[in-house]
Each structure stands twice: as C-alpha cells, then as structure tokens.
Amino acid sequence: MIQIRNLIHDYLRRDEEGNVEGSHRAIDHVNLDVHPGEFIAILGHNGSGKSTLAKHINALLYPTEGTVVVDGMNTADEQNLWKIRQEAGMVFQNPDNQIIGQVVEEDVGFGPENMGVPTEEIWERVNESLRIVEIEHLRKKSPNRLSGGQKQRVSIAGVIAMHPKCIILDEPTAMLDPSGRKEVIRAARALNKVEDITIILITHYMEEAIYADRVFVMDEGRIAMQGTPREVFSDVDRMKELRLDVPQVTLLADELRRKGLDLPAGILTADELADALGLKEETDVRKQA
Amino acid sequence: MKEITLGQYYQTDSVLHRLDPRVKLIGTFCYIISLFIVNSWPGYVAAGIFLAVMILLSHVPFSYIVRGMKAIAFILTVTVLFNLFMTPGEPLVSFWKLTVTREGLSFAVKMAVRLVFLIIGSSLMTLTTTPTQLTNAMEDLMKPLKKLHVPVHEIAMMMSIALRFIPILMEETDKIQKAQMARGADFESKSIIQRVKSMVPILVPLFISAFRRANDLAMAMEARCYHGGEGRTRMKPLIYQRRDRIAYGVLAAFFCLCLSLRLLKF
C-alpha cells in the first residue's frame, strides 16, 4: 500500500529577504512499508518528525531525498497528486480548522464535490459516511455546536466520503477530552475492521497504540523502534529513553516484574495483567456481583 | 456566543423560505430599483401592498422585522429633518430661523417611506435566506463575470469560509480577553483612549491565531482535493422549480406596474 524508501526531509530556514539561512532535518533516512488493511501506529514526542512523515504520504510535502510510493504512485509525480490525496485521506489535529461546511452534511460532501462526483452520488456517499461513523442524527447541525469528539468524527466522515484506501490520522485526539478520544479511536478501529481501510494513527497517547498491528516509534526524525505493540512496550527502559511513557498497566507489570514477580514482558491491558497474576477468576466473580 | 447568525436568519417554513435564493436576490434588487422609479403616492401604496403581502407570506413576525429598524432610526430622523427644513418652496409653518415648506414636507415623508420600505424589503431577504444559500446564489448569478476573469467561485468560497469562522474567532476573542483580565488588564476604563489601547493586546494574538488557522485550513482543504472551482460539482445545486418561475412572473408584473405609474405620471 505505502512504500517509503530512504526518505529525507529538510525544512529550510529563511531570513527576512527569503534567502536560505540553514536547514533542519526533520526526517532522516526513514524506511517504512504499510500493507493493505493494516492498522499502524506512529509514536514519538513533540518534534520527532511524525507529522512531517504523515504529510508526505498525502503529498502535502515532497521528499528532499528518497521516494514515497502510495498504491503504486510516486508522490513526487505531479500527475498523481489528486489521485493520491483521494486514496490517502488525512485527518488533522484541530477539528475547528479542518471543517469547511457550515452544516455537517455539507462538510462531508466537500471532498466529493472537489472530485467532481455527480450530485446524486455525493448524497449516497454522504449518507453512507455519516452512517459509518454513527453521526446521522447530527447531519443538519452546525459544526460549531458539536463536541470535540463529534467534530472529529465529522472530519473522518468527510474523508470516508472520498472513498480512500488509507486514512492517516495526525494526532486526531490531542485536543479532545477522554470520552471524545474514545469515540474517535473506536471509529478508527471500526473503519479498519469493518471497512478494511488501512489506518495510520499518529499519536502520543500510548493507550491508543495498543490496538495497532504494528507500532513505529520515531525520534529525531528516525525510526527508533518498531514491532508489535507487545514487543515495543515490553522495552520500558528504551521507551523512557525516547521520552515516551508506556501504558500504565504495562508500567505496573514491569515494576512488579523487577520486584521479583514472575510476569511475562509486554502486558498491555488490565485483563492480561489480572490473568498473569492468577486473578482472572476473582475479577470475573466480582464483575458478576 | 455560539448562536451568532449573520443576517439574522429567522427559521421557519414558508413559501419565501423555500424560494430559490437567486429569485430572492434578484427580487430584492428589483424592489429597491422600483422604489426609486415610483415618485407618486399611488406608486408607494402599490409598493407598500407588495411588501405587506411578502411579509405575510414569509411567516416572520412583524415585531421581529421592526426590531431590525432600530439600527437605522437615527439616519432616518436626520434625513427627514434635513429634507423637512432645507427644501425651498411655499412656506407652511415657520419659527425661529427654520421654515417648513409644502414641498419639504411631502419630500421628507416620501423619503422616509422609501427608506423604511427599502430596509424592510432587504431585511426580509436576509430573514428568509441562510448565508450559505446567499453565497451560492451570488456565485451562480455572477457566473457570467467569469468571462471577464473575475474569480467568482473563489469570492463565494471566501465568503462562506468567513461566515464559518466568525463564531470561532468571536469565541477566541472572548477567551483572550478573559485571559488578559485574569492577569489584571483593564477593559472597563471610562476613557475611550484607554479602551482602544487595551484592544491592542487582544488583536495581536487574535491575528496570529487567525493566520495559523488559515494555514491549517488551507492544508486541510488541499488534503481533501480542493483545487478551485474547476471541475467541481455541487452537492446542493440550485435548480429552478415551478414556484420560482411564478415568483419571477409576479416580480415582472410588479416592476411593470411601477414603471407604468411613473411613465403615465400618476
């Protein structure tokens, strides 16, 4: 689906006359492959280059060196531009700054309108997209009157209406409250499982990354760690070195293991921990009571 | 703060609300022109009846429409007074240095009626049309200007984005103001100069944030394949219905009536 080879991106610093003063390497020799239908999470602290990487996949930025190929199309080739942007949709961080329409349904129709889809088909696509993210009841509302989680789902619906093969979510939950975060992540997982759309989730909330098939950790523009969530989170020391947390349960399990308890590395959920501690039955009983 | 509606759209269901926005835009334009064509009392009566019928059709309460008139009360008074005292002619009443003439009186009343009809007529359009419909109608009506290389689609897009961001920026202004107040900024000061000065620390962050938003929005629009009006389709295209054709007919009849009243010197 996506092949990134030896990608380098330099941001140029310019002085007031527009002369190049210097450059800052945001992405440094990144290689990354995403297969169709995968759920990928990219982690990293602020300034690690993860958003820059995402913008390359949507052809909003072009490589300084190296290549990015999306579904067989090179992003550097101008002819492919609109096809790539249609196939690899993007959801940004701030919901207010990416909603164009003054009514929810009009915003969802914005992408298809740009692509020149006939009117009747736009309506079909809008209805379908609103149903997938479960916001049909909000279709006539003004975006200004929705909660953060709802706004972000409107943004996702707007991308789905373009019938993409892949959706890149660039820190979609960074400005939301915990319940809004859950809404958005649930929508993203449903898209991946039910609609079979490839998802690339960029985040700094570790709890959101545990659902991914594979996790990439970025640092200083490079990929510092990669693997399944279990493999990545089991290396608590390395994660701390990269100025990242691991999920709280994983941290607790790790501390317990260091104190001599016999636990496997890379525990991700509370249930797993309870299981490993032999508390499973007790918690089940408690749930029933 | 979130309830801000530009042009004070009044939500209800009526024939006027359902009418194609292009008809309403052209209609308002014609009505304003006809107000300046007629210059006799029969003409004003005709214009008044036409307006009254439209108000009845719109289902907008009359008190709601009148409320909008407050804003122009001052201009109205000034116009009337100037016309009343400044028109030369046959004197009716005179006191101190001021003289009211017969011509002045009739001119002032006509002017007042004209202005009131004009304001009510145009606010009736904004009361029954959403801002989105208005921008769509303007884009469609200005289409011929495209041949003269006027960026019609871009202007309409800018207008609708501006409308979308007005409430967001108002909220932001409020937030910035509260943040400044929390740090002891004084916005209650009586002196106007002080008040203007205290606006500067609000406007600077507001402008910076507006530019940042514009940047983000441009990127989001590009990511959704926006590339100008070329090859774009409409989700809600404007198509004339039977009622729109009838409305055009009524409009033409009214316009002809006004024209003939003027030409026949009634």
mmCIF file of all heavy atoms in Angstrom, chain A residues 19 50 52 59 66-67 80 93 98 102 110 112-113 116 129 143 148 163 197 203 205 231 243 260 269 274:
data_model
loop_
_atom_site.group_PDB
_atom_site.id
_atom_site.type_symbol
_atom_site.label_atom_id
_atom_site.label_comp_id
_atom_site.label_asym_id
_atom_site.label_seq_id
_atom_site.Cartn_x
_atom_site.Cartn_y
_atom_site.Cartn_z
ATOM 1 N N ASN A 19 16.197 34.504 1.799
ATOM 2 C CA ASN A 19 17.382 33.708 1.477
ATOM 3 C C ASN A 19 17.495 32.542 2.453
ATOM 4 O O ASN A 19 17.139 32.671 3.628
ATOM 5 C CB ASN A 19 18.644 34.575 1.587
ATOM 6 C CG ASN A 19 18.552 35.772 0.670
ATOM 7 O OD1 ASN A 19 18.156 35.647 -0.478
ATOM 8 N ND2 ASN A 19 18.896 36.938 1.202
ATOM 9 N N LYS A 50 7.000 13.004 13.305
ATOM 10 C CA LYS A 50 5.910 12.101 12.914
ATOM 11 C C LYS A 50 4.862 12.788 12.035
ATOM 12 O O LYS A 50 4.381 12.196 11.077
ATOM 13 C CB LYS A 50 5.263 11.436 14.138
ATOM 14 C CG LYS A 50 4.852 12.360 15.266
ATOM 15 C CD LYS A 50 4.530 11.522 16.487
ATOM 16 C CE LYS A 50 3.815 12.268 17.603
ATOM 17 N NZ LYS A 50 4.208 13.617 17.899
ATOM 18 N N THR A 52 5.440 15.385 10.048
ATOM 19 C CA THR A 52 6.099 15.619 8.760
ATOM 20 C C THR A 52 6.010 14.360 7.906
ATOM 21 O O THR A 52 5.715 14.425 6.709
ATOM 22 C CB THR A 52 7.574 15.999 8.988
ATOM 23 O OG1 THR A 52 7.624 17.014 9.967
ATOM 24 C CG2 THR A 52 8.215 16.475 7.708
ATOM 25 N N ALA A 59 1.049 13.703 0.109
ATOM 26 C CA ALA A 59 1.631 14.613 -0.887
ATOM 27 C C ALA A 59 1.410 16.081 -0.541
ATOM 28 O O ALA A 59 1.283 16.931 -1.413
ATOM 29 C CB ALA A 59 1.125 14.312 -2.294
ATOM 30 N N GLY A 66 14.913 10.561 -1.505
ATOM 31 C CA GLY A 66 14.182 9.330 -1.282
ATOM 32 C C GLY A 66 12.826 9.371 -1.970
ATOM 33 O O GLY A 66 12.474 10.355 -2.630
ATOM 34 N N THR A 67 12.060 8.295 -1.829
ATOM 35 C CA THR A 67 10.766 8.234 -2.515
ATOM 36 C C THR A 67 9.663 7.790 -1.566
ATOM 37 O O THR A 67 9.897 7.052 -0.608
ATOM 38 C CB THR A 67 10.787 7.228 -3.685
ATOM 39 O OG1 THR A 67 11.223 5.967 -3.168
ATOM 40 C CG2 THR A 67 11.679 7.677 -4.807
ATOM 41 N N ASN A 80 -0.033 12.523 -10.324
ATOM 42 C CA ASN A 80 -0.725 11.631 -9.399
ATOM 43 C C ASN A 80 -1.361 12.363 -8.228
ATOM 44 O O ASN A 80 -2.073 11.763 -7.431
ATOM 45 C CB ASN A 80 0.258 10.607 -8.823
ATOM 46 C CG ASN A 80 0.802 9.698 -9.902
ATOM 47 O OD1 ASN A 80 0.157 9.487 -10.919
ATOM 48 N ND2 ASN A 80 1.994 9.169 -9.676
ATOM 49 N N GLN A 93 -5.225 17.517 13.498
ATOM 50 C CA GLN A 93 -5.354 17.612 14.944
ATOM 51 C C GLN A 93 -6.534 18.483 15.388
ATOM 52 O O GLN A 93 -7.346 18.060 16.188
ATOM 53 C CB GLN A 93 -4.048 18.199 15.479
ATOM 54 C CG GLN A 93 -3.992 18.309 16.969
ATOM 55 C CD GLN A 93 -2.648 18.853 17.407
ATOM 56 O OE1 GLN A 93 -2.056 19.697 16.765
ATOM 57 N NE2 GLN A 93 -2.160 18.358 18.510
ATOM 58 N N GLN A 98 -10.416 22.236 10.217
ATOM 59 C CA GLN A 98 -10.496 21.402 9.019
ATOM 60 C C GLN A 98 -11.924 21.183 8.565
ATOM 61 O O GLN A 98 -12.154 20.477 7.590
ATOM 62 C CB GLN A 98 -9.797 20.066 9.234
ATOM 63 C CG GLN A 98 -10.314 19.291 10.409
ATOM 64 C CD GLN A 98 -9.570 18.002 10.597
ATOM 65 O OE1 GLN A 98 -9.258 17.301 9.649
ATOM 66 N NE2 GLN A 98 -9.252 17.674 11.832
ATOM 67 N N GLN A 102 -20.800 24.756 6.649
ATOM 68 C CA GLN A 102 -21.499 25.358 7.777
ATOM 69 C C GLN A 102 -22.572 24.441 8.337
ATOM 70 O O GLN A 102 -23.198 24.742 9.340
ATOM 71 C CB GLN A 102 -22.141 26.674 7.343
ATOM 72 C CG GLN A 102 -21.088 27.704 7.028
ATOM 73 C CD GLN A 102 -21.712 28.985 6.558
ATOM 74 O OE1 GLN A 102 -22.397 29.642 7.312
ATOM 75 N NE2 GLN A 102 -21.507 29.329 5.319
ATOM 76 N N PHE A 110 -17.924 17.958 0.928
ATOM 77 C CA PHE A 110 -16.917 18.849 0.340
ATOM 78 C C PHE A 110 -15.887 18.098 -0.517
ATOM 79 O O PHE A 110 -15.572 18.517 -1.635
ATOM 80 C CB PHE A 110 -16.211 19.626 1.453
ATOM 81 C CG PHE A 110 -15.162 20.585 0.987
ATOM 82 C CD1 PHE A 110 -15.518 21.777 0.385
ATOM 83 C CD2 PHE A 110 -13.811 20.298 1.130
ATOM 84 C CE1 PHE A 110 -14.556 22.669 -0.047
ATOM 85 C CE2 PHE A 110 -12.840 21.182 0.701
ATOM 86 C CZ PHE A 110 -13.214 22.366 0.105
ATOM 87 N N PRO A 112 -16.064 14.984 -2.043
ATOM 88 C CA PRO A 112 -16.637 14.512 -3.307
ATOM 89 C C PRO A 112 -16.943 15.650 -4.287
ATOM 90 O O PRO A 112 -16.762 15.488 -5.494
ATOM 91 C CB PRO A 112 -17.926 13.805 -2.869
ATOM 92 C CG PRO A 112 -17.693 13.412 -1.467
ATOM 93 C CD PRO A 112 -16.764 14.420 -0.890
ATOM 94 N N GLU A 113 -17.384 16.799 -3.774
ATOM 95 C CA GLU A 113 -17.633 17.958 -4.650
ATOM 96 C C GLU A 113 -16.355 18.335 -5.389
ATOM 97 O O GLU A 113 -16.362 18.585 -6.591
ATOM 98 C CB GLU A 113 -18.091 19.166 -3.824
ATOM 99 C CG GLU A 113 -19.567 19.169 -3.457
ATOM 100 C CD GLU A 113 -19.969 20.423 -2.682
ATOM 101 O OE1 GLU A 113 -19.092 21.028 -2.032
ATOM 102 O OE2 GLU A 113 -21.146 20.787 -2.726
ATOM 103 N N GLY A 116 -15.477 16.165 -8.262
ATOM 104 C CA GLY A 116 -16.364 16.198 -9.412
ATOM 105 C C GLY A 116 -17.327 15.026 -9.472
ATOM 106 O O GLY A 116 -17.749 14.616 -10.546
ATOM 107 N N SER A 129 -21.244 7.677 4.650
ATOM 108 C CA SER A 129 -20.166 8.074 5.570
ATOM 109 C C SER A 129 -20.714 8.439 6.937
ATOM 110 O O SER A 129 -20.140 8.082 7.958
ATOM 111 C CB SER A 129 -19.410 9.274 5.019
ATOM 112 O OG SER A 129 -19.076 9.078 3.693
ATOM 113 N N PRO A 143 -21.445 22.773 12.679
ATOM 114 C CA PRO A 143 -20.278 22.159 13.328
ATOM 115 C C PRO A 143 -19.895 22.875 14.627
ATOM 116 O O PRO A 143 -19.329 22.270 15.522
ATOM 117 C CB PRO A 143 -19.156 22.303 12.299
ATOM 118 C CG PRO A 143 -19.811 22.628 11.026
ATOM 119 C CD PRO A 143 -21.164 23.195 11.313
ATOM 120 N N GLY A 148 -16.053 18.031 20.767
ATOM 121 C CA GLY A 148 -14.799 17.763 20.064
ATOM 122 C C GLY A 148 -14.791 16.407 19.380
ATOM 123 O O GLY A 148 -14.391 16.275 18.230
ATOM 124 N N HIS A 163 -13.920 7.935 -0.465
ATOM 125 C CA HIS A 163 -13.599 6.520 -0.699
ATOM 126 C C HIS A 163 -12.088 6.258 -0.750
ATOM 127 O O HIS A 163 -11.569 5.786 -1.765
ATOM 128 C CB HIS A 163 -14.263 6.032 -2.002
ATOM 129 C CG HIS A 163 -15.744 5.867 -1.855
ATOM 130 N ND1 HIS A 163 -16.553 5.471 -2.875
ATOM 131 C CD2 HIS A 163 -16.566 6.063 -0.801
ATOM 132 C CE1 HIS A 163 -17.813 5.430 -2.463
ATOM 133 N NE2 HIS A 163 -17.830 5.793 -1.207
ATOM 134 N N ILE A 197 -10.184 -0.477 5.751
ATOM 135 C CA ILE A 197 -9.377 0.653 5.312
ATOM 136 C C ILE A 197 -8.076 0.655 6.123
ATOM 137 O O ILE A 197 -8.096 0.436 7.338
ATOM 138 C CB ILE A 197 -10.142 1.980 5.539
ATOM 139 C CG1 ILE A 197 -11.388 2.011 4.664
ATOM 140 C CG2 ILE A 197 -9.244 3.180 5.266
ATOM 141 C CD1 ILE A 197 -12.298 3.182 4.919
ATOM 142 N N THR A 203 0.059 9.449 17.136
ATOM 143 C CA THR A 203 -0.470 9.814 18.449
ATOM 144 C C THR A 203 0.658 9.902 19.464
ATOM 145 O O THR A 203 1.773 9.437 19.213
ATOM 146 C CB THR A 203 -1.512 8.769 18.916
ATOM 147 O OG1 THR A 203 -2.037 9.169 20.172
ATOM 148 C CG2 THR A 203 -0.914 7.386 19.035
ATOM 149 N N TYR A 205 -0.574 9.255 22.718
ATOM 150 C CA TYR A 205 -1.220 8.501 23.794
ATOM 151 C C TYR A 205 -0.941 7.016 23.581
ATOM 152 O O TYR A 205 -1.398 6.420 22.611
ATOM 153 C CB TYR A 205 -2.729 8.729 23.792
ATOM 154 C CG TYR A 205 -3.114 10.117 24.200
ATOM 155 C CD1 TYR A 205 -3.598 11.032 23.281
ATOM 156 C CD2 TYR A 205 -2.984 10.510 25.534
ATOM 157 C CE1 TYR A 205 -3.951 12.310 23.667
ATOM 158 C CE2 TYR A 205 -3.329 11.789 25.915
ATOM 159 C CZ TYR A 205 -3.807 12.683 24.989
ATOM 160 O OH TYR A 205 -4.149 13.945 25.354
ATOM 161 N N GLU A 231 5.880 -6.086 21.619
ATOM 162 C CA GLU A 231 7.352 -6.039 21.530
ATOM 163 C C GLU A 231 7.866 -4.655 21.926
ATOM 164 O O GLU A 231 8.826 -4.525 22.686
ATOM 165 C CB GLU A 231 7.795 -6.333 20.091
ATOM 166 C CG GLU A 231 7.695 -7.804 19.701
ATOM 167 C CD GLU A 231 7.753 -8.005 18.183
ATOM 168 O OE1 GLU A 231 7.990 -7.021 17.449
ATOM 169 O OE2 GLU A 231 7.537 -9.133 17.750
ATOM 170 N N ARG A 243 11.857 9.450 25.761
ATOM 171 C CA ARG A 243 10.927 10.396 26.388
ATOM 172 C C ARG A 243 9.469 10.059 26.113
ATOM 173 O O ARG A 243 8.645 10.899 25.808
ATOM 174 C CB ARG A 243 11.227 11.829 25.925
ATOM 175 C CG ARG A 243 12.479 12.391 26.573
ATOM 176 C CD ARG A 243 12.784 13.758 26.037
ATOM 177 N NE ARG A 243 13.444 13.669 24.754
ATOM 178 C CZ ARG A 243 13.538 14.705 23.909
ATOM 179 N NH1 ARG A 243 12.991 15.850 24.211
ATOM 180 N NH2 ARG A 243 14.189 14.563 22.772
ATOM 181 N N GLY A 260 10.500 -8.926 41.401
ATOM 182 C CA GLY A 260 10.667 -10.350 41.542
ATOM 183 C C GLY A 260 9.449 -11.194 41.230
ATOM 184 O O GLY A 260 9.481 -12.411 41.354
ATOM 185 N N THR A 269 -2.995 -4.846 28.719
ATOM 186 C CA THR A 269 -4.303 -4.460 29.273
ATOM 187 C C THR A 269 -4.455 -4.984 30.695
ATOM 188 O O THR A 269 -3.728 -5.884 31.137
ATOM 189 C CB THR A 269 -5.463 -5.044 28.437
ATOM 190 O OG1 THR A 269 -5.399 -6.471 28.515
ATOM 191 C CG2 THR A 269 -5.372 -4.612 26.989
ATOM 192 N N ALA A 274 -4.328 -9.204 35.105
ATOM 193 C CA ALA A 274 -5.096 -9.996 36.064
ATOM 194 C C ALA A 274 -4.911 -11.482 35.782
ATOM 195 O O ALA A 274 -4.718 -12.287 36.692
ATOM 196 C CB ALA A 274 -6.573 -9.619 35.967
#
